């Protein structure tokens, strides 16, 4: 059986349900603190998630939703400052311990780490946010579990462009077909598909209706013994149906060898 050489994890929506209870809350508080009369609802945020990256999302909102706003001379700098403030609010929410990892994530990461599996992260959010999340869920040592963390502005074109995966693959010194990506959104799978990395999806409330064409497996969650996943699709769906109902390395390797 062909074995996975490295797992590459997305962060937002995959490791934790950060979008509604942390990112969205932080955006709205940052707007209020800046004296802006903007309030993103959860439904609007679902639409805005089509654009990845907080700075890019704010610009997209200004350009396409005509909010009350007096354009500053330096719009890029203004958005960068607003977003930096949002990042501070976001990390404080995460540091307060109010953002748990999704079901099954800590078990899977712990198994992968202790078995010597190479681990990496490919995310649109910032390194600060990744560090806050890992440190305040698993613990500070979890940052060292990941050999490569590709985050935020390290590449110019964010997801759905393949650049962040290409960057991580290059740092790992691996070919795409030697790795497995874990994602939660259509922007995520467009990015992995562009980089030719086989992909397993766990959906969340914002991405349930996304198009996951090309996924090896689409699940509602990683699952735990006694709190098992539902298989939603993917070319290797039958492999998951014939399993104990939670994602572990053995299942991922079986799904992987089905694909490669
Ligand atoms: C995550 C994102 C990010 C976060 C906000 O996408 O789109 O923009 O919503 O993060 P993915 P920042 O899970 O595909 O990486 O505000 O830190 O940019
Ligand atoms: Mg995501």
């Amino acid at each position: 059986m062909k074995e996975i050489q490295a797992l590459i994890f997305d962060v937002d929506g995959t490791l934790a349900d950060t979008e509604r209870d942390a990112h969205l809350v932080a955006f709205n508080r940052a707007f209020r603190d800046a004296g802006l009369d903007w309030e993103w609802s959860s439904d609007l945020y679902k639409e805005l998630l089509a654009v990845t990256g907080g700075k890019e999302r704010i610009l997209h909102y200004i350009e396409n939703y005509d909010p009350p706003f007096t354009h500053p001379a330096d719009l890029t700098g203004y958005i960068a400052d607003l977003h930096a403030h949002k990042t501070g609010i976001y990390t404080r929410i995460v540091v307060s311990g109010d953002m748990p990892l999704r079901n099954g994530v800590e078990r899977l990461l712990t198994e992968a780490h202790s078995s010597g599996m190479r681990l990496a992260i490919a995310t649109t959010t910032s390194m600060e946010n990744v560090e806050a999340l890992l440190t305040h869920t698993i613990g500070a040592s979890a940052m060292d579990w990941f050999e490569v963390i590709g985050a935020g502005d390290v590449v110019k074109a964010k997801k759905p462009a393949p650049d962040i995966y290409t960057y991580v693959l290059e740092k790992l010194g691996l070919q795409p077909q030697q790795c497995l990506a874990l994602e939660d959104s259509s922007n995520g799978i467009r990015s992995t598909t562009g980089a030719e990395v086989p992909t397993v999806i766990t959906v969340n409330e914002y991405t349930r209706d996304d198009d996951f064409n090309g996924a090896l497996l689409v699940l509602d969650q990683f699952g735990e013994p006694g709190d098992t996943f539902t298989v939603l699709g993917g070319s290797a769906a039958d492999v998951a149906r014939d399993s104990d109902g939670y994602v572990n390395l053995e299942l991922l390797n079986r799904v992987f060898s089905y694909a490669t």
Side-chain angles (χ1 to χ4, degrees), residues 97-246:
D98 286 344
M99 186 42 60
L101 296 178
R102 291 187 69 187
N103 202 31
V105 168
E106 184 161 357
R107 173 189 50 73
L108 176 60
L109 286 176
T110 304
E111 183 199 357
H113 172 64
S114 56
S115 72
M117 170 67 74
R118 297 177 70 186
L119 294 173
I121 281 176
T123 181
T124 300
T125 202
S126 64
M127 187 69 86
E128 275 165 275
N129 289 357
V130 175
E131 184 166 6
L133 183 68
L134 291 175
T135 304
H136 290 87
T137 51
I138 300 176
S141 63
M143 281 299 277
D144 300 332
W145 294 9
F146 295 90
E147 197 177 320
V148 179
I149 299 183
D153 297 328
V154 74
V155 289
K156 236 189 180 155
K158 294 184 177 168
K159 299 174 191 177
D163 303 33
I164 193 69
Y165 278 95
T166 309
Y167 170 90
V168 168
L169 288 167
E170 200 184 305
K171 295 266 175 203
L172 287 170
L174 292 173
Q175 296 301 310
Q177 298 295 321
Q178 296 177 293
C179 302
L180 185 74
L182 293 308
E183 273 284 355
D184 72 301
S185 68
S186 60
N187 278 327
I189 196 167
R190 284 168 67 197
S191 178
T192 60
T193 304
E196 299 181 12
V197 186
T199 306
V200 167
I201 299 285
T202 53
V203 301
N204 56 64
E205 68 165 293
Y206 283 132
T207 65
R208 199 167 295 277
D209 304 325
D210 281 9
D211 178 2
F212 295 117
N213 193 22
L216 273 178
L217 193 56
V218 184
L219 304 170
D220 66 335
Q221 55 161 327
F222 289 108
E224 288 284 16
D227 186 3
T228 54
F229 58 58
T230 300
V231 181
L232 303 174
S235 53
D238 286 345
V239 177
R241 284 195 189 99
D242 180 29
S243 76
D244 293 331
Y246 58 94

Side-chain angles (χ1 to χ4, degrees), residues 10-30:
D10 169 50
V11 175
D12 294 304
T14 300
L15 296 186
D17 270 323
T18 49
E19 293 294 0
R20 193 193 58 199
D21 296 335
H23 284 297
L24 176 57
V25 171
F27 278 115
N28 281 330
R29 272 192 213 154

